[in-house]
Amino acid sequence: MNAMNDLGSLADLPTEYVEALASHNLVPLWPSLRGVLPPTKPRPNTRATHWAYKDIKPLLLQAGELTPIEKAERRVLVLANPGHGLDKMQASAAIYLGMQLLLPGEWAPSHRHTPNAVRMIVEGEGAYTTVDGEKCPMSRGDLILTPTGLWHEHGHDGTDPVVWLDVLDLPIIYYLETSYHVNGDAQTTVPGRGDRIYAHGGMAPTRMFVRGSKPYPMLRYPWDQARAALLTLSQDNPQEPSVQITYVNPETGTDVENILGFYAMMLRPGQTLNMPARSPACVFHLIEGQADVAIEAQKFHLVEADTCCAPGYTPVTVTNRSSSQPAFFFLADEAPLHRKLGVYEVRA
Ligand code: GTQ
């Protein structure tokens, strides 16, 4: 016999008893036991959700007219998952997504905070982020890190609006009651760029006695190099269905940040890829091409600059709608966190 017996509910108990418990800050477990430990798999609040760039962009440009940068510090529209409630500003349990606009001549002042962030550049040229004194130019598809505790500010010397996708681990840092920021003065730019030093695969600078003095030696991952790596990977492994790279720390080979993982994925022309159910929630942002993302009963039609998210423990099928051109995604997930916590799972 399966031991899935019905458990008692709160209504089974005398009101005076429940009130007596509450007056001593006590709660009976059994009415909530199945809720906190559901059978066989979690019941995520995270819902499969699609944010179309064509819907975001006009509203973001309107924010540029309505709210000067001085009144916003960061002019961002948050991509909020309705399953968590929009006010929670969460895409998933651990992932925050925001679309940020910087207009020519604007400056988003220097600050640092405990959550880790990355930027995926969506549109526009001429902006830069200065991280830990390193001035990182922003171009479409580039990935720029602002890891925990590092000073960062955004500026724009170009002529057209620049938009990027912010991905932060803010929800989990906030939940842990460890989220705060510090404002600072404009940074002095220091010479030397990690993306130049580590531009040649498999070669890291030799330092006398100590390797790698910086915990985050590379802050900018240019899209042209990621794209070229994917095309080579595809050509050299024609039988391999998954064409994906992980953004790694070039000194250690580990994920670039501690909590969220970041990847670029290519689908060959016409390809359909079945991704197994895994415990982490995952975000898909289409950099180039046109693709469908099917998550359980939902099927999203993505065009360039669109973003969607899938809850964990859910298989996802991605299809390149073009029969002649590859499609390129940027992915973000919670895998590093799940691995560190020992809860990472793949279900065949
Ligand atoms: O650009 O530093 O979307 O601090 C949220 C918080 C962006 C940023 C966000 C931030 C930033």
Side-chain angles (χ1 to χ4, degrees), residues 237-257:
N237 299 280
Q239 309 303 327
E240 171 62 51
S242 163
V243 183
Q244 189 175 318
I245 55 160
T246 302
Y247 290 100
V248 295
N249 179 320
E251 288 282 354
T252 62
T254 57
D255 295 287
V256 286
E257 289 183 352

Side-chain angles (χ1 to χ4, degrees), residues 74 76 96 98 100 111 113 119 152 154 166 168:
R74 301 297 193 260
V76 176
Y96 158 104
Q100 183 161 172
H111 72 182
H113 41 67
R119 335 262 155 219
H152 56 282
H154 316 303
D166 291 316
L168 280 77

Side-chain angles (χ1 to χ4, degrees), residues 53 56 60 69 73-77 79 97-103 106-108 117-124 126-129 138-142 144 146 152-156 161-168 285 305 307:
Y53 189 58
I56 300 173
L60 195 52
I69 192 74
E73 263 178 43
R74 301 297 193 260
R75 195 190 289 108
V76 176
L77 294 180
L79 283 55
L97 299 173
M99 214 47 105
Q100 183 161 172
L101 170 70
L102 200 64
L103 295 170
E106 287 186 335
W107 183 64
V118 302
R119 335 262 155 219
M120 165 50 49
I121 317 311
V122 175
E123 189 175 355
Y128 59 87
T129 292
M138 298 171 124
S139 271
R140 190 175 116 84
D142 290 352
I144 296 173
T146 54
H152 56 282
E153 64 197 85
H154 316 303
H156 190 349
V162 167
V163 177
W164 63 81
L165 179 69
D166 291 316
V167 187
L168 280 77
H285 174 81
T307 306

